[in-house]
Amino acid sequence: MRYALLVQGGPYSSQASHSALRFARAVIERGHCLATVFFYHDGVYNAARLSAPPQDEPHLGDGWRLLHDEHGTELLVCIAAGLRRGLLDQREAARHGKEGYSLEEPFELTGLGQLVEAGFSHDRLITFSP
Amino acid sequence: MILHLLNRSPVTSRVIDDALAAMGPDDRMLLIEDGVSGGLPAQALFFKNLAGRLFALREDLVSRGLLERCGEHVTIIDVEGFVDLTEEANKTVSWY
Amino acid sequence: MSGQETHDLEARDPDSVVDNSVTAGDLLVILRHAPHGSSWLREGLDTALVAAAFGQRVTLLFAGEGVLALLTGQTAGPLGQKGTHGVIDMLAMYDIDTLMVDGRALKSRGLCTDDLMLPVTLVEADGVVSLLQSHRLVLNF
């Protein structure tokens, strides 16, 4: 089956991101395709490029990146939710006249339409909220 | 069959009322995160209509020291069981 | 208004009906949060608007504190916080005209359909169960 996850909790402030990443690995281990993870609400902070948790804690951002690198999972970040919260890729940073940027590949800023699309084009959509 | 995920304690959040009201006769509920405190025997009455349809995620019980304190009103499953439930349900709805 | 009247939901507003038939659609968006206090309501509405713009048949269910989103007399908040009443006013333009309200949620807050800015369909008990079953996708905000 093709799975999509919707992650709405901020990393390190609620358990939602941990639960989602844990579930993501279990889905893949079962032989399913985890095609898409969509980050919305405070879940967009999972994509923060400069996240630097203590070394004895799981690095959630790296966890997501690994899913992309090893399994080709799309990591989609709602652009409207992201821009409001300061998550800009290089292109958006330039467009808004900002120095530096806070989000980079493999995370992608996309429209909310991609969430709706994921909901209808995958066999399962599982939501993890704070 | 719809799988309902609940991540709130039945004691502190009234979202459980909305979740229960939305459940059909074959639907299942899985308690995760803070929701697993619903596994305590004293909380069983909240789920009295869910005999055989209430599950709790083992790792969230373990990390909270609740595994051995869980009542018989819940079926304890691991994360693989969580995946099973989502396979078997045609939709999953999260309540938070 | 007496307590008796607020409980008599069906009779209060000719524009509103209690629907026992099943409303089917592609996406059911459940709105459970009040306006202003968090972004959940706005984000849920945005999702509904986008889905409708993509041609999906969208049903909105206002439940729990979400029923407050429909109250008349809402304004922008301090510092110009926009609120959601403007979006709700525009739903018809996006062809979202299936607005369902959990009658229990309205009743338990001492509100009735006269308090609401748009005509709605009241859903009682098993109606919510049917709504979840009759939509391909359910998103809870």
Side-chain angles (χ1 to χ4, degrees), chain A residues 6 8 41 127-130, chain B residues 5-8 13-16 18-19 33 93-96, chain C residues 30 32-33 40 43-44 139-141:
Chain A
L6 168 59
Q8 306 205 88
H41 192 75
T127 301
F128 292 88
S129 290
Chain B
L5 300 181
L6 179 67
N7 72 351
R8 289 284 194 281
S13 169
R14 304 194 64 174
V15 68
I16 183 176
D18 289 335
E33 304 172 356
V93 178
S94 298
W95 301 90
Y96 51 94
Chain C
I30 306 176
R32 293 185 38 261
H33 287 83
W40 290 115
E43 289 170 336
L139 292 174
N140 211 340
F141 287 97

Side-chain angles (χ1 to χ4, degrees), chain B residues 19-41:
Chain B
L20 291 172
M23 288 181 72
D26 301 320
D27 287 0
R28 294 167 173 173
M29 178 178 277
L30 170 62
L31 306 176
I32 63 168
E33 304 172 356
D34 290 349
V36 297
S37 73
L40 288 167

